[in-house]
Amino acid sequence: MDVSFRDKWLEMCGIIGYNGDKDIFDILRKGLKRLEYRGYDSSGISLQKNSELVIKKSVGQVNELFKKISETELGGSKSGIAHTRWATHGKVTEINSHPHTSCQKRLAVVHNGIIENHEEIRSQLENNHLIRSETDTEIIAHYLEEKLEKGNTVIESLQEFHTEAEGTYAVLVQKKGREKIFALKNKSPLVIGYADHGNFISSDIYAFSNHTEKSIFLKDGDTAEVTENTYKVYNKDRKEATRSIKNIKWSQTENKRNFGHYMIKEVYEIPKTVEKLVKSVKNHQSSEFQKFAEKIRQKEKVVITGCGSSFHAAKIGEKILRRKGFNVRALNAVETDETDFSEETLTVAVSQSGETMDVLDTVEQAINKGSEIFSIVNVPYSTVQRKSSTTINLLAGQEICVASTKTFVNQVLVFKMLSKILDGEKTDESNLASGLRKVIEEDAMVERVSEKLVDEEKIYVLGSSVEYPLAKELALKLKEITYTHSEGLRAGEMKHGTLALVEKGTKIIGLSKKLSQIENSLEEAKSRGAEIFPITMEELGLEGLEEFTELFIATLGFVLTYKIAKKRGLPIDKPRNLAKSVTVR
Ligand code: GLU
């Protein structure tokens, strides 16, 4: 596959390994289920059993894999690795699913990421190898096998591989007959979980956070070996290294409770997560907010960066802070280069997962130019956070639905709170949560609008001023969740071109604090046959709470999108082709 094309692919999967006493079938099944939100076209496991590697794979969701395996088949094993794949190289087939094995099946490998130069590595192998799949991953198993045959250990072979491989990779390896998991990390996350009953290693703390809070984050170039009771880490210079144990609380429930989908469950959680963040500004995150405010005052320029919904939150942040007179620019992380940064720039990275590759690239550019990094993230101890000197945690809890909802609202709220701190204003958010509850629960208007939009193939969303990024955000949600072609425009922009697409019955949503701010644009479209749907604070019956308009309108947009997608019977939590965090370029 052509590299430039391939690099545009999204990639995200999850890996988990466990050595220990607990029922391995249950641990790996639940671990994979907890990782499934990251990517999900196929899955597989490898278990050490009676000195053999037992490997099972399946296309589709994790349940499909476990339907194929009986508990007795796997029982008694104490060491296993597992994978949910989000294909980057090779079709979604059982053969291409991980784990991949070496010719003699002495090694099993799971991999998250891309080996850019897999073809080159393949051409340099000395022996003839039986390559079974179309993936970039399989070459790792054959490469390691050759090195083992020359007398290297698995760790040495992985270290050799690291010197030759280009790309991003978190790799777990099992060797036949050894109750040990070997690992290598480069630019994809990998973390060891240290529990009473055994040790985990995974791309995501969430895979094991129901068993232990003790987490050991690996660095790029690290190799590691994990057994039931021990773990050893070697740094990129191949020396044994100490990596501290962090205690991480991240065991949210992944239960949908009575909600049909995670998306709507997470929307219903918005009022609570908002309250939690507001409280933290006055308590345990007060010093972080103060540091942010001080730095914004000090620096010549502030660059806020993010991708997708996080970029839209960054745009809202830009508008809020520019109004206060600060030199702030929001840049989409896919577009930045080093010229955007200097020692005088404060870079603020906004991300749900803290692992988005494009954001990490931007952070690297900023670091190279001497810029200080602050971040606003939801997943604690994520890579973005670890690269920042100060972080505000979004405290939105686990978000399973691919589309961001409660995280987005808290991202915007962070900027609103910062703006108040910069003004030295006393904050009063006492009616915020109840206003949000009203938007979510009193949904007759949204229901009506969703009925009107359910059969539409294209929808335009207009926004004035701060509501412009919200229009982009709603359009993005309509694309991701309802598969409707939609475009978010600044009110006033339509007449410069897009109006040519307006005909009788074209549906246009207008977002604004007050109808008067958007009325002209909507009327222009209406007089050309468009059907218009203004969403304003008056419409919502929330006059008096205008200060938080963005949060109310964003939330309403989520409910609307959800309703349309539900009526269409779409896979709301896991839209086709998308993954929760996007960890390649
Ligand atoms: N590049 C590998 C593949 O396509 C791994 C993808 C992933 O991270 O799931 O199989």
Side-chain angles (χ1 to χ4, degrees):
M1 193 187 292
D2 162 54
V3 173
S4 56
F5 173 64
R6 189 182 67 210
D7 281 358
K8 287 185 193 130
W9 277 59
L10 306 173
E11 170 273 332
M12 192 70 216
C13 73
I15 55 184
I16 175 173
Y18 174 73
N19 271 352
D21 268 347
K22 284 249 172 191
D23 174 359
I24 199 140
F25 182 86
D26 196 51
I27 292 245
L28 293 183
R29 185 173 57 85
K30 290 194 178 135
L32 281 187
K33 290 291 291 171
R34 290 167 76 96
L35 290 175
E36 213 183 5
Y37 78 101
R38 297 160 61 101
Y40 44 83
D41 59 37
S42 46
S43 57
I45 59 169
S46 162
L47 290 178
Q48 202 66 252
K49 196 166 173 202
N50 304 330
S51 299
E52 289 294 326
L53 293 176
V54 182
I55 293 179
K56 301 278 174 184
K57 307 176 179 197
S58 174
V59 166
Q61 304 211 349
V62 170
N63 286 341
E64 300 302 317
L65 172 70
F66 284 88
K67 269 188 216 156
K68 285 188 168 178
I69 316 169
S70 72
E71 218 162 324
T72 42
E73 211 176 343
L74 299 188
S77 168
K78 296 185 80 177
S79 176
I81 56 176
H83 184 262
T84 52
R85 178 174 187 235
W86 205 98
T88 67
H89 290 59
K91 291 181 282 300
V92 179
T93 61
E94 200 165 304
I95 289 183
N96 288 339
S97 308
H98 303 207
H100 292 286
T101 51
S102 57
C103 296
Q104 305 307 322
K105 302 207 173 163
R106 283 168 63 201
L107 298 171
V109 171
V110 294
H111 160 223
N112 174 199
I114 292 177
I115 309 297
E116 304 282 359
N117 59 340
H118 66 106
E119 276 162 6
E120 193 186 318
I121 294 179
R122 179 177 178 168
S123 68
Q124 285 163 8
L125 291 179
E126 289 168 14
N127 305 338
N128 276 334
H129 289 265
L130 172 64
I131 309 279
R132 302 175 184 93
S133 75
E134 305 158 319
T135 64
D136 52 329
T137 301
E138 189 180 341
I139 207 64
I140 306 173
H142 297 284
Y143 179 96
L144 298 179
E145 184 178 68
E146 275 200 7
K147 295 288 169 196
L148 288 183
E149 277 167 13
K150 291 187 177 150
N152 293 294
T153 63
V154 180
I155 286 290
E156 286 162 353
S157 308
L158 282 167
Q159 288 164 340
E160 279 297 303
F161 181 77
H162 180 57
T163 60
E164 301 204 24
E166 287 163 21
T168 56
Y169 39 91
V171 177
L172 300 184
V173 181
Q174 270 192 317
K175 187 176 171 207
K176 192 165 117 176
R178 302 286 303 277
E179 289 196 338
K180 213 176 223 189
I181 296 166
F182 304 91
L184 167 66
K185 168 189 158 39
N186 190 48
K187 296 183 188 158
S188 293
L190 202 50
V191 53
I192 296 171
Y194 192 69
D196 299 340
H197 52 77
N199 287 326
F200 293 82
I201 181 157
S202 177
S203 42
D204 191 324
I205 47 174
Y206 189 58
F208 56 72
S209 57
N210 51 337
H211 290 275
T212 179
E213 289 175 3
K214 294 197 179 102
S215 308
I216 299 111
F217 291 90
L218 300 187
K219 296 192 174 164
D220 286 345
D222 280 356
T223 44
E225 43 184 75
V226 176
T227 68
E228 179 177 350
N229 308 308
T230 62
Y231 67 91
K232 268 193 190 155
V233 180
Y234 304 88
N235 65 19
K236 60 179 185 332
D237 301 321
R238 307 184 179 195
K239 302 257 181 321
E240 199 169 330
T242 314
R243 301 275 175 259
S244 56
I245 301 185
K246 310 243 191 269
N247 274 316
I248 304 215
K249 287 207 190 315
W250 189 244
S251 39
Q252 299 284 320
T253 165
E254 78 268 39
N255 192 333
K256 270 185 261 178
R257 299 204 302 270
N258 292 330
F259 294 96
H261 297 92
Y262 284 110
M263 182 179 182
I264 195 67
K265 168 184 173 270
E266 287 160 5
V267 167
Y268 267 81
E269 284 166 358
I270 289 174
K272 270 224 150 12
T273 51
V274 156
E275 278 174 330
K276 206 165 162 193
L277 182 66
V278 166
K279 240 197 201 144
S280 83
V281 182
K282 289 160 191 160
N283 299 307
H284 71 275
Q285 295 209 92
S286 143
S287 81
E288 282 76 13
F289 273 88
Q290 290 302 338
K291 277 189 205 152
F292 257 75
E294 268 162 43
K295 271 285 162 320
I296 292 169
R297 280 196 198 101
Q298 266 169 28
K299 291 283 179 178
E300 245 168 43
K301 186 175 140 194
V302 180
V303 170
I304 316 176
T305 189
C307 289
S309 295
S310 297
F311 174 62
H312 297 148
K315 266 309 235 190
I316 295 174
E318 173 198 84
K319 289 184 181 294
I320 293 173
L321 295 172
R322 282 184 77 81
R323 280 187 188 163
K324 305 278 163 208
F326 297 103
N327 181 12
V328 179
R329 277 282 166 233
L331 299 178
N332 195 322
V334 296
E335 279 182 329
T336 56
D337 60 48
E338 289 195 1
T339 60
D340 294 313
F341 307 96
S342 76
E343 285 174 11
E344 278 316 309
T345 314
L346 171 69
T347 302
V348 180
V350 186
S351 173
Q352 192 286 129
S353 66
E355 302 293 349
T356 311
M357 186 57 78
D358 289 319
V359 175
L360 285 169
D361 282 348
T362 299
V363 166
E364 279 309 315
Q365 292 160 1
I367 290 173
N368 290 344
K369 294 303 286 293
S371 166
E372 190 167 354
I373 312 295
F374 276 27
S375 59
I376 300 172
V377 296
N378 194 37
V379 178
Y381 290 95
S382 49
T383 310
V384 167
Q385 171 159 1
R386 281 178 284 130
K387 287 191 184 276
S388 322
S389 53
T390 300
T391 298
I392 290 177
N393 280 304
L394 289 163
L395 307 177
Q398 180 78 15
E399 200 175 56
I400 302 268
C401 175
V402 164
S404 159
T405 53
K406 54 182 180 165
T407 300
F408 177 82
V409 168
N410 270 11
Q411 286 170 339
V412 175
L413 181 58
V414 164
F415 290 112
K416 300 204 74 82
M417 301 301 281
L418 273 174
S419 137
K420 289 191 174 194
I421 292 169
L422 284 161
D423 274 350
E425 265 178 37
K426 276 238 166 303
T427 58
D428 176 18
E429 297 80 21
S430 48
N431 292 323
L432 177 55
S434 57
L436 286 163
R437 275 191 199 100
K438 182 171 153 76
V439 170
I440 298 164
E441 286 163 16
E442 295 174 21
D443 63 351
M445 183 263 275
V446 195
E447 180 59 32
R448 227 174 24 249
V449 177
S450 72
E451 273 299 326
K452 293 266 193 183
L453 298 180
V454 69
D455 295 321
E456 286 309 304
E457 282 175 12
K458 63 176 185 194
I459 299 172
Y460 297 97
V461 191
L462 307 188
S464 64
S465 176
V466 175
E467 291 78 34
Y468 168 49
L470 280 179
K472 306 278 276 185
E473 173 59 14
L474 177 51
L476 180 66
K477 285 285 184 288
L478 287 165
K479 283 186 253 198
E480 314 182 276
I481 305 296
T482 74
Y483 303 161
T484 311
H485 179 82
S486 45
E487 233 185 289
L489 298 151
R490 203 184 158 107
E493 194 185 338
M494 269 222 131
K495 58 182 179 295
H496 296 291
T498 312
L499 207 51
L501 294 174
V502 171
E503 53 198 348
K504 190 166 181 321
T506 301
K507 304 289 188 284
I508 300 184
I509 302 173
L511 309 179
S512 186
K513 202 172 279 182
K514 290 195 167 67
L515 184 62
S516 55
Q517 293 165 332
I518 204 171
E519 209 165 10
N520 285 352
S521 308
L522 289 179
E523 283 304 321
E524 282 158 18
K526 195 174 166 189
S527 28
R528 284 154 183 93
E531 195 172 343
I532 58 170
F533 302 91
I535 295 177
T536 62
M537 293 297 276
E538 295 111 311
E539 286 286 330
L540 293 174
L542 289 171
E543 295 99 326
L545 283 176
E546 280 79 5
E547 186 184 358
F548 299 109
T549 301
E550 301 89 338
L551 308 183
F552 296 125
I553 290 186
T555 303
L556 181 124
F558 302 148
V559 180
L560 175 64
T561 317
Y562 176 75
K563 282 181 180 281
I564 298 173
K566 193 159 176 243
K567 290 187 208 303
R568 290 183 181 180
L570 293 173
I572 295 174
D573 290 328
K574 297 173 182 172
R576 70 181 167 218
N577 302 339
L578 299 181
K580 180 81 183 151
S581 22
V582 184
T583 60
V584 291
R585 292 174 191 100

